[in-house]
Amino acid sequence: MLKSLLAASILVAVTGCATASQSSSNEQETQYQASEKAVNLAHEYLLVDTHIDVPYRIRDKWDDVSVATKDGDFDYPRAVEGGLDAPFMSIYIPASYEESGGSVQLAHELIDGMEALVARAPDKFAMAYSTDDIRANKEKGLMSIALGMENGTPIEGDLDNLHMFYERGIRYITLAHSLSNHISDSSYDIRRQWDGLSPFGKKLVKEMNKVGVMVDVSHISDDAFYQAVEISEVPVIASHSSLRKYTPGFERNMSDDMLKALAENEGVIQINFGSSFLAEQANRYRDMMKKRISAVKEQYGADSEEAKRRIADIEANNPYPFATLETVLDHIDHVKALIGVEHIGVGSDYDGVGDSLPVGLKDVSDYPNLVQGLLDRGYSEKEIQMILGENLMRVWKAVEDYAEGH
């Protein structure tokens, strides 16, 4: 999840071109039409998305996602249309809370919000704390609400907090977010105070194994990733990451060597749908636009009419380069070719990447388009079933089994 770090700043920087680029995106959207078979498979197979940012979205601006909503990427009717069975709702803690304090309180508030959602609509949702819960809820026709904590700041250096949040339903923890914290260095942070994981972070990974909380390696630095997979006795997940092959120099994504280490660990990468995670042009767009606009302001004066005219021209002629469904499929193809289909899953980052989602996968109603794309590229129904949820369930079950024995 990029939050205001990337997605929002892209949109702020290019407000003038948003309408034009979105119009183009809408025109392209019409080319995607899932077949009846793809729709049926999306509904038949267990569909788990490990990263959806509803909790923080509705904290910022409350919305009842148990019914159709005007805003956002997720609501119950659209999720049912898409075949979604088990969204992992992100208990997102901004990196600033590492210094400001208050992260434990925020985490509890966001968890409370998800429990309240289930309480308001018990005919639609049910909390899910285990792999068995996920499968039982599907049998009952209920959408599971599972919980993952994005940013381990609320652990606050105390393993008792890990146990407390496990009891509250947290089933994975992203060790850091956009800045390094007391657990791990961040891929976004030029400071590498720990050269990977902190001494406490290494203890935390071992304790997460024992408690039954999946270790999420999204967001952390390369060194931290390698240390985490070495230390962990069970498979890890990258809950919402994509591939550095298609975004050179973007450490937030995973390199081929990291994918190979993930495979040795028997883990899974849950592909992120944000355009800046998927395509080099989109990934570099913000910096490119910022440089061009800054140069104009410097040459003509920030508030001059000439600068405003030239900036408007730049924005109009450089719409945001949305990725497409095909780009997502390229990432999936590469993982399959490199380490095998058993290591691929879905971690969309819906409600977390602003208006940067790819053409063909704009919200939770669009999962059948992904299934159609996989069918078109020759994936078997068994492989599609694995990607949609069974690979993640394999990892989660391995974590549960290890914890039960310790």
Side-chain angles (χ1 to χ4, degrees):
M1 181 180 67
L2 293 178
K3 302 298 184 300
S4 57
L5 277 171
L6 184 56
S9 58
I10 288 173
L11 298 172
V12 170
V14 296
T15 302
C17 73
T19 301
S21 61
Q22 190 60 56
S23 176
S24 174
S25 172
N26 290 340
E27 290 174 6
Q28 290 177 284
E29 200 76 34
T30 60
Q31 71 181 280
Y32 296 106
Q33 183 63 52
S35 65
E36 182 178 354
K37 178 179 181 179
V39 172
N40 288 340
L41 291 179
H43 286 79
E44 175 185 351
Y45 295 145
L46 181 67
L47 204 169
V48 182
D49 188 326
T50 49
H51 201 89
I52 295 181
D53 278 292
V54 165
Y56 206 81
R57 164 192 159 194
I58 63 175
R59 177 182 185 266
D60 185 51
K61 182 182 178 182
W62 191 84
D63 217 350
D64 184 359
V65 296
S66 69
V67 296
T69 62
K70 177 182 177 182
D71 300 318
D73 309 323
F74 174 97
D75 59 41
Y76 180 77
R78 283 182 287 171
V80 169
E81 181 182 349
L84 180 60
D85 295 301
F88 268 80
M89 296 300 187
S90 173
I91 305 305
Y92 165 61
I93 310 299
S96 60
Y97 279 74
E98 183 78 12
E99 298 298 327
S100 69
S103 64
V104 173
Q105 176 69 18
L106 175 58
H108 284 306
E109 290 175 5
L110 296 176
I111 295 169
D112 287 348
M114 292 300 95
E115 292 178 343
L117 171 64
V118 171
R120 285 197 308 274
D123 57 327
K124 299 176 179 178
F125 299 107
M127 297 301 298
Y129 305 115
S130 67
T131 54
D132 286 345
D133 287 347
I134 297 287
R135 298 193 190 281
N137 289 340
K138 182 174 176 63
E139 286 294 318
K140 296 174 185 176
L142 296 172
M143 187 173 297
S144 291
I145 300 295
L147 301 175
M149 178 180 286
E150 186 177 27
N151 185 5
T153 284
I155 302 302
E156 292 191 338
D158 186 345
L159 294 178
D160 286 344
N161 284 342
L162 169 65
H163 290 259
M164 173 183 67
F165 282 117
Y166 175 84
E167 293 301 320
R168 291 231 56 194
I170 295 296
R171 291 301 179 265
Y172 76 69
I173 295 175
T174 317
L175 301 180
H177 190 248
S178 58
L179 296 172
S180 299
N181 61 15
H182 69 284
I183 297 167
S184 176
D185 290 337
S186 165
S187 63
Y188 287 122
D189 197 337
I190 61 173
R191 303 169 302 163
R192 300 298 162 99
Q193 59 178 320
W194 305 117
D195 292 324
L197 299 177
S198 71
F200 175 76
K202 294 173 181 178
K203 294 178 182 178
L204 179 64
V205 168
K206 293 179 180 179
E207 193 68 13
M208 289 170 69
N209 289 171
K210 294 177 182 178
V211 171
V213 177
M214 289 179 280
V215 175
D216 179 16
V217 296
S218 289
H219 279 289
I220 62 177
S221 70
D222 287 8
D223 286 341
F225 163 81
Y226 286 113
Q227 291 167 21
V229 296
E230 180 180 358
I231 293 168
S232 181
E233 298 291 339
V234 293
V236 305
I237 66 169
S239 69
H240 58 306
S241 295
S242 297
L243 308 187
R244 207 174 300 173
K245 172 181 171 63
Y246 299 101
T247 56
F250 186 44
E251 189 177 347
R252 172 64 178 82
N253 274 346
M254 296 184 68
S255 69
D256 283 2
D257 285 343
M258 294 169 75
L259 290 173
K260 292 174 183 177
L262 184 75
E264 291 179 7
N265 169 264
E266 299 185 354
V268 62
I269 177 172
Q270 308 286 111
I271 300 298
N272 190 312
F273 291 174
S275 289
S276 63
F277 288 82
L278 297 169
E280 183 176 10
Q281 189 177 7
N283 187 262
R284 297 182 176 180
Y285 180 76
R286 178 187 61 156
D287 289 339
M288 179 272 290
M289 291 294 286
K290 183 178 179 181
K291 288 176 182 178
R292 294 185 65 178
I293 290 171
S294 295
V296 168
K297 289 180 178 180
E298 183 177 346
Q299 182 174 356
Y300 296 100
D303 298 322
S304 71
E305 291 303 315
E306 181 64 15
K308 292 176 182 177
R309 184 186 69 79
R310 288 176 178 268
I311 291 170
D313 286 344
I314 291 172
E315 292 173 342
N317 292 317
N318 294 276
Y320 183 69
F322 289 100
T324 67
L325 169 61
E326 279 73 24
T327 326
V328 175
L329 295 169
D330 289 344
H331 283 247
I332 292 173
D333 282 350
H334 184 70
V335 179
K336 178 183 176 181
L338 186 70
I339 60 173
V341 72
E342 62 270 27
H343 302 290
I344 310 168
V346 175
S348 65
D349 216 345
Y350 281 135
D351 280 326
V353 289
D355 191 23
S356 73
L357 290 159
V359 179
L361 291 170
K362 290 296 186 183
D363 64 31
V364 291
S365 69
D366 284 337
Y367 296 111
N369 290 344
L370 178 65
V371 175
Q372 185 64 56
L374 292 169
L375 288 169
D376 292 344
R377 293 203 179 191
Y379 284 74
S380 69
E381 292 186 19
K382 177 63 175 177
E383 289 174 326
I384 292 170
Q385 184 179 20
M386 292 166 70
I387 291 168
L388 292 184
E390 292 304 330
N391 289 336
L392 183 281
M393 293 290 280
R394 168 185 59 79
V395 170
W396 190 1
K397 187 65 166 63
V399 173
E400 290 177 332
D401 290 346
Y402 182 88
E404 186 176 343
H406 292 76

